[in-house]
Coordinates of all heavy atoms in Angstrom, one line a residue:
M92 N -15.9 -10.9 -3.0 CA -14.7 -11.4 -2.2 C -15.0 -12.1 -1.0 O -14.5 -13.2 -0.8 CB -13.9 -10.1 -1.9 CG -12.5 -10.5 -1.3 SD -11.4 -11.1 -2.6 CE -9.8 -10.9 -1.8
F93 N -16.0 -11.5 -0.2 CA -16.4 -12.3 1.0 C -17.0 -13.6 0.7 O -16.9 -14.6 1.5 CB -17.3 -11.4 1.8 CG -16.6 -10.4 2.8 CD1 -16.9 -9.1 2.9 CD2 -15.7 -10.9 3.7 CE1 -16.3 -8.2 3.7 CE2 -15.0 -10.1 4.5 CZ -15.3 -8.8 4.5
K94 N -17.8 -13.6 -0.4 CA -18.5 -14.8 -0.7 C -17.5 -15.9 -1.0 O -17.6 -17.0 -0.6 CB -19.4 -14.6 -2.0 CG -20.4 -15.7 -2.2 CD -21.4 -15.2 -3.3 CE -21.1 -16.0 -4.5 NZ -21.8 -15.6 -5.7
E95 N -16.4 -15.5 -1.8 CA -15.4 -16.5 -2.1 C -14.7 -17.0 -0.9 O -14.4 -18.2 -0.7 CB -14.4 -15.9 -3.1 CG -15.0 -15.7 -4.5 CD -14.5 -14.4 -5.2 OE1 -13.7 -13.6 -4.6 OE2 -14.9 -14.3 -6.3
I96 N -14.4 -16.0 0.0 CA -13.7 -16.4 1.3 C -14.6 -17.4 2.1 O -14.1 -18.4 2.6 CB -13.3 -15.3 2.2 CG1 -12.3 -14.4 1.4 CG2 -12.9 -15.6 3.5 CD1 -11.9 -13.1 2.0
A97 N -15.9 -17.1 2.1 CA -16.9 -17.9 2.8 C -16.9 -19.3 2.2 O -16.9 -20.4 2.9 CB -18.3 -17.3 2.8
V98 N -16.9 -19.4 0.9 CA -16.9 -20.7 0.3 C -15.7 -21.5 0.6 O -15.7 -22.7 0.9 CB -17.0 -20.6 -1.3 CG1 -16.8 -21.9 -1.9 CG2 -18.5 -20.1 -1.6
I99 N -14.5 -20.8 0.6 CA -13.2 -21.4 0.8 C -13.3 -21.9 2.3 O -12.8 -23.0 2.6 CB -12.1 -20.5 0.5 CG1 -12.0 -20.4 -1.0 CG2 -10.8 -21.1 1.1 CD1 -11.1 -19.2 -1.5
A100 N -13.8 -21.0 3.2 CA -13.7 -21.4 4.6 C -14.7 -22.7 4.8 O -14.3 -23.5 5.6 CB -14.4 -20.2 5.4
M101 N -15.8 -22.8 4.1 CA -16.6 -24.0 4.2 C -15.9 -25.2 3.7 O -16.0 -26.2 4.3 CB -17.9 -23.7 3.4 CG -18.9 -22.8 4.2 SD -20.5 -22.7 3.4 CE -20.2 -21.7 2.0
L102 N -15.2 -24.9 2.5 CA -14.4 -26.1 2.1 C -13.5 -26.6 3.1 O -13.3 -27.8 3.4 CB -13.7 -25.8 0.8 CG -14.6 -25.6 -0.5 CD1 -13.8 -25.0 -1.7 CD2 -15.2 -27.0 -0.9
L103 N -12.7 -25.7 3.7 CA -11.7 -26.1 4.6 C -12.4 -26.7 5.9 O -11.8 -27.6 6.4 CB -10.9 -24.8 5.1 CG -10.0 -24.2 4.1 CD1 -9.3 -23.0 4.5 CD2 -9.0 -25.2 3.6
A104 N -13.6 -26.2 6.3 CA -14.2 -26.8 7.4 C -14.6 -28.3 7.1 O -14.4 -29.1 7.9 CB -15.5 -26.0 7.7
V105 N -15.0 -28.6 5.9 CA -15.3 -29.9 5.5 C -14.1 -30.8 5.4 O -13.9 -31.9 6.0 CB -16.0 -30.0 4.1 CG1 -16.1 -31.4 3.5 CG2 -17.3 -29.3 4.2
V106 N -13.0 -30.2 4.9 CA -11.7 -31.0 4.8 C -11.2 -31.3 6.1 O -10.7 -32.4 6.3 CB -10.7 -30.2 3.9 CG1 -9.2 -30.7 4.0 CG2 -11.1 -30.1 2.5
Y107 N -11.3 -30.3 7.0 CA -10.6 -30.6 8.4 C -11.6 -31.1 9.5 O -11.2 -31.2 10.6 CB -9.9 -29.3 8.8 CG -8.8 -29.0 7.9 CD1 -8.9 -27.9 7.0 CD2 -7.7 -29.9 7.8 CE1 -7.8 -27.7 6.2 CE2 -6.6 -29.6 7.0 CZ -6.7 -28.5 6.1 OH -5.7 -28.3 5.2
A108 N -12.8 -31.5 9.0 CA -13.6 -32.1 10.0 C -12.9 -33.4 10.5 O -12.4 -34.1 9.9 CB -15.0 -32.5 9.4
A109 N -12.9 -33.5 11.9 CA -12.1 -34.6 12.5 C -12.8 -36.0 12.0 O -14.0 -36.1 12.0 CB -12.2 -34.4 14.0
P110 N -11.8 -36.9 11.6 CA -12.3 -38.2 11.2 C -12.7 -39.0 12.4 O -12.3 -38.7 13.5 CB -11.1 -38.8 10.5 CG -10.0 -38.1 11.1 CD -10.5 -36.7 11.5
A111 N -13.7 -39.9 12.2 CA -14.1 -40.8 13.3 C -12.9 -41.5 13.8 O -11.9 -41.8 13.1 CB -15.2 -41.8 12.8
A112 N -12.9 -42.0 15.1 CA -11.7 -42.6 15.7 C -11.2 -43.8 15.0 O -9.9 -44.0 15.0 CB -12.1 -42.9 17.2
D113 N -12.1 -44.6 14.4 CA -11.7 -45.8 13.7 C -11.4 -45.6 12.3 O -11.1 -46.6 11.5 CB -12.7 -46.9 13.9 CG -14.1 -46.4 13.4 OD1 -14.2 -45.3 13.0 OD2 -15.0 -47.3 13.2
E114 N -11.3 -44.4 11.8 CA -11.0 -44.1 10.4 C -9.5 -43.7 10.3 O -9.1 -42.7 10.8 CB -11.8 -43.0 9.8 CG -13.2 -43.4 9.4 CD -14.0 -42.2 8.8 OE1 -13.4 -41.4 8.3 OE2 -15.2 -42.3 9.0
A115 N -8.7 -44.5 9.5 CA -7.3 -44.1 9.2 C -7.4 -43.1 8.0 O -8.3 -43.2 7.1 CB -6.5 -45.2 8.9
P116 N -6.5 -42.1 8.1 CA -6.5 -41.1 7.0 C -6.1 -41.8 5.7 O -5.3 -42.8 5.6 CB -5.3 -40.2 7.3 CG -5.2 -40.3 8.8 CD -5.6 -41.7 9.2
T117 N -6.7 -41.5 4.6 CA -6.5 -42.1 3.3 C -5.7 -41.1 2.5 O -6.1 -39.9 2.4 CB -7.8 -42.5 2.6 OG1 -8.6 -43.3 3.4 CG2 -7.5 -43.1 1.2
P118 N -4.6 -41.5 1.9 CA -3.9 -40.6 1.0 C -4.7 -40.0 -0.1 O -5.5 -40.8 -0.7 CB -2.7 -41.4 0.5 CG -2.5 -42.4 1.5 CD -3.9 -42.8 2.0
Y119 N -4.7 -38.8 -0.4 CA -5.4 -38.2 -1.5 C -4.6 -37.0 -2.1 O -3.7 -36.5 -1.4 CB -6.8 -37.8 -1.0 CG -6.8 -36.5 -0.1 CD1 -6.9 -35.3 -0.6 CD2 -6.6 -36.8 1.4 CE1 -6.8 -34.2 0.4 CE2 -6.6 -35.7 2.2 CZ -6.7 -34.5 1.7 OH -6.6 -33.4 2.6
E120 N -5.1 -36.5 -3.1 CA -4.4 -35.4 -3.8 C -5.5 -34.8 -4.8 O -6.2 -35.5 -5.4 CB -3.2 -35.7 -4.5 CG -2.4 -34.7 -5.1 CD -1.1 -35.2 -5.8 OE1 -0.7 -36.2 -5.5 OE2 -0.5 -34.3 -6.4
F121 N -5.6 -33.5 -4.8 CA -6.5 -32.8 -5.8 C -6.0 -31.5 -6.1 O -5.2 -30.9 -5.3 CB -7.9 -32.8 -5.4 CG -8.2 -31.7 -4.3 CD1 -8.5 -30.4 -4.5 CD2 -8.3 -32.2 -3.0 CE1 -8.7 -29.5 -3.5 CE2 -8.6 -31.3 -1.9 CZ -8.7 -30.0 -2.2
Q122 N -6.3 -31.0 -7.3 CA -6.0 -29.6 -7.6 C -7.0 -29.1 -8.7 O -7.5 -29.9 -9.4 CB -4.6 -29.4 -8.0 CG -4.3 -30.2 -9.3 CD -2.8 -30.0 -9.7 OE1 -2.0 -29.3 -9.0 NE2 -2.3 -30.6 -10.7
F123 N -7.2 -27.8 -8.6 CA -8.0 -27.3 -9.7 C -7.7 -25.8 -9.9 O -7.1 -25.2 -9.0 CB -9.6 -27.4 -9.4 CG -10.1 -26.7 -8.2 CD1 -10.3 -25.4 -8.3 CD2 -10.2 -27.3 -7.0 CE1 -10.9 -24.7 -7.2 CE2 -10.7 -26.7 -5.9 CZ -11.0 -25.4 -6.0
Q124 N -8.1 -25.3 -11.0 CA -8.0 -23.8 -11.2 C -9.2 -23.4 -11.9 O -9.7 -24.0 -12.8 CB -6.7 -23.5 -12.1 CG -6.6 -22.0 -12.3 CD -5.1 -21.7 -12.8 OE1 -4.2 -22.5 -12.6 NE2 -5.0 -20.5 -13.4
E125 N -9.8 -22.2 -11.4 CA -10.9 -21.7 -12.1 C -10.7 -20.2 -12.4 O -10.1 -19.5 -11.7 CB -12.1 -21.8 -11.1 CG -13.4 -21.0 -11.5 CD -14.2 -20.6 -10.3 OE1 -15.0 -21.5 -9.8 OE2 -14.3 -19.5 -10.0
Q126 N -11.0 -19.9 -13.7 CA -10.8 -18.5 -14.1 C -12.0 -18.0 -14.7 O -12.7 -18.7 -15.5 CB -9.6 -18.6 -15.1 CG -9.1 -17.2 -15.4 CD -7.7 -17.3 -16.1 OE1 -7.3 -18.4 -16.6 NE2 -7.0 -16.2 -16.2
N127 N -12.5 -16.8 -14.3 CA -13.6 -16.2 -15.0 C -13.3 -14.7 -15.2 O -12.2 -14.3 -15.0 CB -15.0 -16.5 -14.3 CG -15.0 -15.8 -12.9 OD1 -14.4 -14.8 -12.7 ND2 -15.8 -16.4 -12.0
A128 N -14.4 -14.0 -15.6 CA -14.1 -12.6 -15.9 C -13.6 -11.7 -14.7 O -13.0 -10.7 -14.8 CB -15.4 -11.9 -16.4
N129 N -13.9 -12.2 -13.5 CA -13.5 -11.5 -12.3 C -12.4 -12.0 -11.5 O -11.9 -11.3 -10.6 CB -14.8 -11.4 -11.4 CG -16.0 -10.8 -12.2 OD1 -15.7 -9.8 -12.9 ND2 -17.2 -11.2 -11.9
H130 N -12.1 -13.3 -11.6 CA -11.1 -13.7 -10.7 C -10.4 -15.0 -11.2 O -11.0 -15.7 -12.1 CB -11.6 -14.0 -9.3 CG -12.5 -15.2 -9.2 ND1 -13.9 -15.0 -9.0 CD2 -12.3 -16.5 -9.3 CE1 -14.4 -16.1 -9.0 NE2 -13.5 -17.1 -9.2
T131 N -9.3 -15.3 -10.7 CA -8.6 -16.6 -10.8 C -8.6 -17.3 -9.5 O -8.0 -16.6 -8.6 CB -7.2 -16.5 -11.6 OG1 -7.4 -15.9 -12.8 CG2 -6.5 -17.8 -11.6
L132 N -8.9 -18.5 -9.4 CA -8.7 -19.3 -8.1 C -8.0 -20.5 -8.4 O -8.5 -21.3 -9.4 CB -10.2 -19.5 -7.6 CG -10.2 -20.5 -6.4 CD1 -9.5 -19.9 -5.2 CD2 -11.7 -20.9 -6.0
A133 N -7.0 -20.8 -7.7 CA -6.3 -22.0 -7.9 C -6.1 -22.7 -6.5 O -5.9 -22.1 -5.5 CB -4.8 -21.8 -8.5
R134 N -6.3 -24.0 -6.5 CA -6.2 -24.7 -5.2 C -5.6 -26.1 -5.4 O -5.8 -26.7 -6.4 CB -7.7 -24.8 -4.7 CG -7.8 -25.7 -3.4 CD -8.5 -24.9 -2.3 NE -8.1 -25.6 -1.1 CZ -8.8 -26.6 -0.5 NH1 -10.0 -26.9 -1.0 NH2 -8.3 -27.1 0.6
Q135 N -4.8 -26.5 -4.5 CA -4.3 -27.8 -4.5 C -4.1 -28.3 -3.1 O -3.9 -27.5 -2.1 CB -3.0 -27.9 -5.3 CG -1.8 -27.1 -4.8 CD -0.9 -27.7 -3.9 OE1 -0.9 -29.0 -3.8 NE2 -0.2 -27.0 -3.1
E136 N -4.3 -29.6 -2.9 CA -4.1 -30.1 -1.5 C -3.8 -31.6 -1.7 O -4.2 -32.3 -2.6 CB -5.3 -29.9 -0.7 CG -5.2 -30.5 0.7 CD -6.5 -30.2 1.5 OE1 -6.8 -29.1 1.8 OE2 -7.2 -31.2 1.8
S137 N -3.0 -32.1 -0.7 CA -2.8 -33.5 -0.6 C -2.7 -34.0 0.9 O -2.4 -33.1 1.8 CB -1.4 -33.9 -1.3 OG -0.4 -33.3 -0.7
G138 N -3.0 -35.1 1.1 CA -3.0 -35.7 2.5 C -2.3 -37.1 2.5 O -2.5 -37.8 1.4
D139 N -1.5 -37.4 3.5 CA -0.9 -38.8 3.5 C -1.6 -39.7 4.5 O -2.6 -39.3 5.2 CB 0.6 -38.6 3.6 CG 1.0 -38.2 5.0 OD1 0.1 -38.2 6.0 OD2 2.2 -37.7 5.2
A140 N -1.1 -40.9 4.6 CA -1.7 -41.8 5.4 C -1.6 -41.5 7.0 O -2.2 -42.2 7.8 CB -1.1 -43.2 5.2
S141 N -0.6 -40.6 7.3 CA -0.5 -40.4 8.8 C -1.3 -39.1 9.1 O -1.2 -38.6 10.2 CB 1.0 -40.2 9.0 OG 1.5 -39.0 8.3
G142 N -2.0 -38.6 8.2 CA -2.9 -37.5 8.5 C -2.3 -36.1 8.2 O -2.9 -35.0 8.7
V143 N -1.1 -36.1 7.6 CA -0.5 -34.8 7.4 C -1.1 -34.2 6.0 O -1.2 -34.9 5.0 CB 1.0 -34.9 7.1 CG1 1.7 -33.6 6.7 CG2 1.7 -35.4 8.4
V144 N -1.7 -33.0 6.1 CA -2.3 -32.4 5.0 C -1.5 -31.2 4.5 O -1.1 -30.3 5.5 CB -3.7 -31.9 5.3 CG1 -4.4 -31.1 4.2 CG2 -4.6 -33.2 5.6
K145 N -1.2 -31.0 3.3 CA -0.5 -29.8 2.8 C -1.2 -29.3 1.6 O -1.7 -30.1 0.7 CB 0.9 -30.2 2.3 CG 1.8 -30.7 3.5 CD 3.2 -31.1 3.0 CE 4.1 -31.6 4.1 NZ 5.3 -32.1 3.6
G146 N -1.4 -28.0 1.5 CA -2.1 -27.4 0.4 C -1.9 -25.9 0.3 O -1.1 -25.3 1.1
S147 N -2.5 -25.4 -0.7 CA -2.5 -23.9 -0.9 C -3.6 -23.5 -1.8 O -4.2 -24.3 -2.5 CB -1.1 -23.6 -1.6 OG -1.1 -24.0 -2.9
Y148 N -4.0 -22.3 -1.6 CA -4.9 -21.7 -2.7 C -4.5 -20.3 -2.9 O -3.9 -19.7 -2.1 CB -6.4 -21.8 -2.2 CG -6.8 -20.9 -1.0 CD1 -7.1 -19.6 -1.1 CD2 -6.8 -21.5 0.2 CE1 -7.5 -18.8 -0.1 CE2 -7.1 -20.7 1.3 CZ -7.5 -19.4 1.2 OH -7.9 -18.7 2.3
T149 N -4.7 -19.8 -4.1 CA -4.4 -18.5 -4.5 C -5.7 -17.9 -5.2 O -6.4 -18.5 -6.0 CB -3.3 -18.5 -5.7 OG1 -2.1 -19.0 -5.0 CG2 -3.0 -17.1 -6.3
L150 N -6.0 -16.7 -4.8 CA -7.2 -16.0 -5.3 C -6.6 -14.7 -5.9 O -5.9 -13.9 -5.2 CB -8.2 -15.7 -4.2 CG -9.4 -15.0 -4.6 CD1 -10.3 -15.9 -5.6 CD2 -10.2 -14.7 -3.4
I151 N -6.9 -14.5 -7.1 CA -6.5 -13.2 -7.8 C -7.7 -12.5 -8.4 O -8.3 -13.1 -9.3 CB -5.4 -13.5 -9.0 CG1 -4.3 -14.3 -8.5 CG2 -5.0 -12.2 -9.6 CD1 -3.4 -14.8 -9.6
D152 N -8.0 -11.3 -7.8 CA -9.0 -10.6 -8.4 C -8.7 -9.8 -9.6 O -7.5 -9.5 -9.9 CB -9.6 -9.5 -7.3 CG -10.6 -10.2 -6.4 OD1 -11.3 -11.1 -6.8 OD2 -10.6 -9.9 -5.2
K153 N -9.7 -9.4 -10.4 CA -9.4 -8.7 -11.6 C -8.7 -7.3 -11.4 O -8.1 -6.8 -12.3 CB -10.6 -8.6 -12.6 CG -11.7 -7.6 -12.1 CD -12.8 -7.5 -13.1 CE -14.0 -6.7 -12.5 NZ -15.1 -6.8 -13.3
D154 N -8.9 -6.7 -10.2 CA -8.3 -5.4 -9.9 C -6.8 -5.6 -9.4 O -6.2 -4.6 -9.0 CB -9.2 -4.6 -8.9 CG -9.1 -5.4 -7.6 OD1 -8.5 -6.4 -7.3 OD2 -9.9 -4.9 -6.7
G155 N -6.3 -6.8 -9.4 CA -4.9 -7.1 -9.0 C -4.7 -7.5 -7.6 O -3.6 -7.9 -7.3
R156 N -5.8 -7.4 -6.8 CA -5.5 -8.0 -5.5 C -5.3 -9.5 -5.5 O -5.9 -10.2 -6.3 CB -6.7 -7.7 -4.5 CG -6.8 -6.2 -4.2 CD -8.1 -6.0 -3.4 NE -9.3 -6.3 -4.2 CZ -10.5 -6.6 -3.8 NH1 -10.7 -6.5 -2.5 NH2 -11.5 -6.9 -4.6
Q157 N -4.4 -10.0 -4.8 CA -4.2 -11.4 -4.8 C -3.8 -11.9 -3.4 O -3.1 -11.2 -2.6 CB -3.2 -11.8 -5.8 CG -1.7 -11.3 -5.6 CD -0.9 -11.9 -6.8 OE1 -1.2 -11.6 -8.0 NE2 0.1 -12.7 -6.4
R158 N -4.1 -13.1 -3.1 CA -3.8 -13.7 -1.8 C -3.4 -15.2 -2.0 O -4.1 -15.9 -2.8 CB -5.0 -13.7 -0.9 CG -4.7 -14.3 0.4 CD -6.0 -14.4 1.3 NE -6.8 -13.1 1.3 CZ -8.0 -13.1 1.3 NH1 -8.8 -14.1 1.4 NH2 -8.6 -11.9 1.3
T159 N -2.4 -15.6 -1.5 CA -1.9 -17.0 -1.5 C -1.9 -17.5 -0.1 O -1.2 -16.9 0.7 CB -0.7 -17.2 -2.2 OG1 -0.8 -16.8 -3.6 CG2 -0.2 -18.7 -2.2
V160 N -2.5 -18.6 0.2 CA -2.4 -19.2 1.6 C -1.9 -20.6 1.4 O -2.4 -21.4 0.6 CB -3.8 -19.3 2.2 CG1 -3.8 -20.0 3.5 CG2 -4.5 -17.9 2.3
V161 N -0.7 -20.8 2.0 CA -0.1 -22.1 2.0 C -0.2 -22.7 3.5 O 0.0 -22.0 4.4 CB 1.4 -22.0 1.7 CG1 2.2 -23.3 1.8 CG2 1.7 -21.3 0.3
Y162 N -0.8 -23.9 3.5 CA -1.2 -24.4 4.8 C -0.7 -25.9 4.9 O -0.5 -26.6 3.9 CB -2.6 -24.3 5.1 CG -3.5 -25.0 4.0 CD1 -3.9 -26.4 4.2 CD2 -4.0 -24.3 3.0 CE1 -4.6 -26.9 3.2 CE2 -4.8 -24.9 2.0 CZ -5.1 -26.2 2.2 OH -5.9 -26.9 1.1
E163 N -0.5 -26.2 6.2 CA -0.2 -27.6 6.5 C -0.9 -27.9 7.8 O -1.0 -27.1 8.7 CB 1.4 -27.6 6.8 CG 2.0 -29.0 6.9 CD 3.4 -29.0 6.7 OE1 4.0 -28.0 6.2 OE2 4.0 -30.0 7.2
A164 N -1.3 -29.1 7.9 CA -2.0 -29.6 9.2 C -1.7 -31.0 9.5 O -1.5 -31.8 8.6 CB -3.5 -29.3 9.0
D165 N -1.5 -31.4 10.7 CA -1.3 -32.6 11.1 C -1.8 -32.8 12.5 O -2.1 -31.9 13.2 CB 0.1 -33.1 11.0 CG 1.1 -32.2 11.9 OD1 0.9 -32.4 13.1 OD2 1.9 -31.5 11.5
P166 N -2.0 -34.1 12.9 CA -2.6 -34.4 14.2 C -1.7 -33.8 15.4 O -2.3 -33.6 16.5 CB -2.7 -35.9 14.3 CG -2.7 -36.3 12.9 CD -1.8 -35.4 12.1
V167 N -0.5 -33.7 15.2 CA 0.3 -33.2 16.3 C 0.4 -31.7 16.4 O 0.2 -31.1 17.6 CB 1.8 -33.7 16.2 CG1 2.7 -33.2 17.3 CG2 1.8 -35.3 16.3
N168 N 0.7 -31.1 15.3 CA 1.0 -29.6 15.4 C -0.3 -28.8 14.9 O -0.2 -27.6 15.0 CB 2.1 -29.2 14.4 CG 3.4 -30.0 14.9 OD1 3.8 -29.8 16.0 ND2 3.9 -30.7 14.0
G169 N -1.4 -29.4 14.5 CA -2.6 -28.6 14.1 C -2.4 -28.0 12.8 O -1.6 -28.4 12.0
F170 N -3.2 -26.9 12.7 CA -3.2 -26.2 11.4 C -2.2 -25.0 11.5 O -2.3 -24.2 12.3 CB -4.7 -25.8 11.1 CG -4.8 -25.0 9.9 CD1 -5.1 -25.6 8.7 CD2 -4.9 -23.6 9.9 CE1 -5.3 -25.0 7.5 CE2 -5.0 -22.9 8.7 CZ -5.3 -23.5 7.5
R171 N -1.4 -24.9 10.4 CA -0.5 -23.7 10.3 C -0.7 -23.2 8.8 O -0.8 -23.9 7.9 CB 0.9 -24.1 10.5 CG 1.2 -24.3 11.9 CD 1.6 -25.8 12.3 NE 2.5 -26.4 11.3 CZ 2.4 -27.7 11.0 NH1 1.5 -28.5 11.5 NH2 3.3 -28.3 10.3
A172 N -0.7 -21.9 8.8 CA -0.9 -21.2 7.5 C 0.0 -20.1 7.3 O 0.4 -19.3 8.3 CB -2.3 -20.8 7.2
Q173 N 0.5 -19.9 6.1 CA 1.2 -18.6 5.7 C 0.5 -18.0 4.7 O 0.1 -18.6 3.6 CB 2.6 -19.0 5.3 CG 3.6 -19.6 6.3 CD 5.0 -19.8 5.9 OE1 5.2 -20.1 4.7 NE2 5.9 -19.5 6.7
I174 N 0.2 -16.7 4.8 CA -0.6 -15.9 3.9 C 0.3 -14.8 3.3 O 0.9 -14.1 4.0 CB -1.8 -15.3 4.7 CG1 -2.6 -16.3 5.3 CG2 -2.6 -14.5 3.7 CD1 -3.3 -15.9 6.5
Q175 N 0.3 -14.8 1.9 CA 1.0 -13.8 1.2 C -0.1 -13.0 0.4 O -0.9 -13.6 -0.3 CB 2.0 -14.4 0.2 CG 3.1 -15.1 0.9 CD 3.5 -16.4 0.3 OE1 3.2 -16.6 -0.9 NE2 4.3 -17.2 1.0
S176 N -0.1 -11.7 0.5 CA -1.1 -10.9 -0.1 C -0.5 -9.5 -0.3 O 0.3 -8.9 0.3 CB -2.4 -10.8 0.8 OG -3.3 -10.0 0.2
N177 N -1.2 -8.9 -1.4 CA -0.9 -7.4 -1.6 C -2.1 -6.7 -1.4 O -2.2 -5.4 -1.8 CB -0.4 -7.3 -3.1 CG -1.6 -7.7 -4.1 OD1 -2.7 -8.0 -3.7 ND2 -1.3 -7.5 -5.4
E178 N -3.0 -7.2 -0.6 CA -4.3 -6.4 -0.3 C -4.0 -5.2 0.5 O -3.2 -5.2 1.5 CB -5.3 -7.3 0.4 CG -5.8 -8.5 -0.5 CD -6.5 -9.6 0.3 OE1 -5.8 -10.3 1.0 OE2 -7.7 -9.7 0.2
P179 N -4.7 -4.1 0.2 CA -4.4 -2.8 0.9 C -4.7 -2.9 2.4 O -5.7 -3.6 2.8 CB -5.4 -1.9 0.2 CG -5.8 -2.5 -1.0 CD -5.7 -3.9 -0.9
G180 N -3.9 -2.2 3.2 CA -4.1 -2.2 4.6 C -3.4 -3.3 5.4 O -3.4 -3.3 6.6
L181 N -2.8 -4.3 4.7 CA -2.2 -5.3 5.4 C -0.8 -4.9 5.9 O -0.1 -4.2 5.2 CB -2.0 -6.5 4.6 CG -3.4 -7.3 4.2 CD1 -3.0 -8.5 3.3 CD2 -4.1 -7.8 5.4
I182 N -0.4 -5.4 7.0 CA 1.0 -5.3 7.5 C 1.5 -6.6 7.9 O 0.7 -7.6 8.1 CB 1.1 -4.4 8.7 CG1 0.2 -4.9 9.8 CG2 0.7 -2.9 8.4 CD1 0.4 -4.2 11.2
N183 N 2.8 -6.9 7.9 CA 3.3 -8.2 8.3 C 2.9 -8.3 9.7 O 3.1 -7.5 10.6 CB 4.8 -8.1 8.1 CG 5.2 -8.1 6.7 OD1 4.5 -8.6 5.8 ND2 6.5 -7.6 6.5
S184 N 2.4 -9.6 10.0 CA 2.0 -9.9 11.3 C 1.7 -11.4 11.5 O 1.7 -12.1 10.5 CB 0.7 -9.1 11.7 OG -0.4 -9.6 10.9
A185 N 1.5 -11.8 12.7 CA 1.2 -13.3 13.0 C 0.2 -13.2 14.0 O 0.3 -13.6 15.1 CB 2.5 -14.0 13.5
P186 N -1.2 -12.8 13.6 CA -2.2 -12.7 14.5 C -2.7 -13.9 15.2 O -3.4 -13.9 16.2 CB -3.3 -11.9 13.8 CG -3.0 -12.4 12.4 CD -1.5 -12.5 12.3
A187 N -2.5 -15.1 14.6 CA -3.0 -16.3 15.0 C -2.1 -17.0 16.0 O -2.5 -18.1 16.6 CB -3.3 -17.2 13.8
A188 N -1.0 -16.4 16.4 CA -0.1 -17.1 17.4 C -0.9 -17.0 18.7 O -1.0 -15.9 19.3 CB 1.2 -16.3 17.5
A189 N -1.2 -18.1 19.3 CA -2.1 -18.1 20.5 C -1.9 -19.3 21.3 O -1.5 -20.4 20.8 CB -3.5 -17.9 20.2
T190 N -2.0 -19.2 22.6 CA -1.9 -20.4 23.5 C -3.3 -20.8 23.9 O -4.0 -19.9 24.4 CB -1.0 -20.1 24.6 OG1 0.3 -19.8 24.1 CG2 -0.9 -21.4 25.5
Y191 N -3.7 -22.0 23.8 CA -5.0 -22.5 24.4 C -4.7 -23.4 25.5 O -3.9 -24.3 25.5 CB -5.7 -23.3 23.2 CG -6.1 -22.4 22.1 CD1 -5.3 -22.2 21.0 CD2 -7.4 -21.8 22.0 CE1 -5.5 -21.4 19.9 CE2 -7.7 -21.0 20.9 CZ -6.8 -20.8 19.9 OH -7.1 -20.0 18.9
S192 N -5.4 -23.2 26.6 CA -5.3 -24.0 27.8 C -6.7 -24.6 28.2 O -7.6 -23.8 28.2 CB -4.9 -23.1 29.0 OG -3.8 -22.4 28.6
V193 N -6.7 -25.9 28.3 CA -8.0 -26.5 28.7 C -8.0 -26.4 30.2 O -7.1 -26.7 30.9 CB -8.0 -28.0 28.2 CG1 -9.2 -28.7 28.7 CG2 -7.8 -28.1 26.7
Q194 N -9.2 -26.0 30.7 CA -9.4 -25.9 32.2 C -10.5 -26.8 32.6 O -11.4 -27.2 31.9 CB -9.8 -24.5 32.5 CG -8.7 -23.5 32.2 CD -9.0 -22.1 32.6 OE1 -10.1 -21.7 32.7 NE2 -8.0 -21.3 33.1
Ligands
LIG426 C1 -18.2 -10.4 -12.5 O1 -18.6 -9.3 -11.8 C2 -19.7 -8.6 -12.3 C3 -19.9 -7.4 -11.5 O2 -19.9 -7.6 -10.1 C4 -20.9 -9.5 -12.2 O3 -22.0 -8.9 -12.7 C5 -20.7 -10.7 -13.0 O4 -21.7 -11.7 -12.8 C6 -19.3 -11.4 -12.6 N1 -19.0 -12.6 -13.4 C7 -18.7 -13.8 -13.0 C8 -18.4 -14.8 -14.0 O5 -18.8 -14.0 -11.8

């Protein structure tokens, strides 16, 4: 599970690496689904010419745990995600709500 999360985190880090100042965002779209004996992973994402990125991924383990992350990112509002999961121990919350101040 952690390995898969780490891989996904690395993918997101690559996807959201800031483009160089002279590079305009290029529209793109991709999706894939991978299924093996232990899990199903589905992912899709698209980005438009103004830098708005929308996507989601779903991970379903063979024991029934599943998580879906729906995210959106743009140059003005940054990265926002909604996570739906049935993983044990979770409660409804919004832990990422935070204010950042540059000093
Ligand atoms: C599925 O999980 C088992 C047990 O951890 C592991 O041995 C096997 O390699 C896994 N299969 C795949 C396709 O990842």
